[in-house]
Amino acid sequence: MSENVVAQLCQDVKIPKMVKVRQHFDPSYIAPEDIPGVVREELERDCICSQIKPGMSIAITCGSRGVANIAIVIKAVAEYVKEKGGSPFVFPAMG
């Protein structure tokens, strides 16, 4: 009976064309103890580090789904912002 209700509710709904997608993950690996250095290296790029000025409040957004070692990454970013004179705060950003 419930199948009939669903079918009736969906009778005028157009189903979009769908395709099968296969995702391939990068097999490279960064050891947890190397993460802070890798994060620092990325943050040292001029297009990023030049934006952090002493006294600025810097939001660090993060979501936890599927991110390995998220605490290590966020800590490294916060420490870098502090070193540059900024005042970091973590802002959860899900979705």
Side-chain angles (χ1 to χ4, degrees):
M1 183 169 172
S2 65
E3 289 180 25
N4 292 334
V5 172
V6 173
Q8 289 174 2
L9 290 172
C10 296
Q11 69 185 358
D12 295 325
V13 176
K14 275 192 158 184
I15 305 297
K17 184 177 180 180
M18 296 186 194
V19 296
K20 190 178 224 178
V21 175
R22 183 166 297 201
Q23 188 173 8
H24 298 279
F25 292 97
D26 182 348
S28 61
Y29 174 79
I30 300 170
E33 61 271 11
D34 296 334
I35 292 173
V38 173
V39 169
R40 171 175 280 288
E41 185 179 309
E42 292 299 317
L43 294 173
E44 283 291 330
R45 295 184 303 165
D46 188 55
C47 63
I48 297 173
C49 70
S50 66
Q51 301 298 311
I52 303 172
K53 308 289 186 224
M56 291 177 86
S57 289
I58 307 288
I60 302 169
T61 63
C62 65
S64 61
R65 288 194 182 152
V67 179
N69 301 302
I70 188 73
I72 297 170
V73 173
I74 298 305
K75 182 180 180 194
V77 174
E79 287 175 351
Y80 182 82
V81 170
K82 286 180 186 178
E83 288 174 19
K84 293 294 181 184
S87 179
F89 63 96
V90 177
F91 185 81
M94 301 296 205

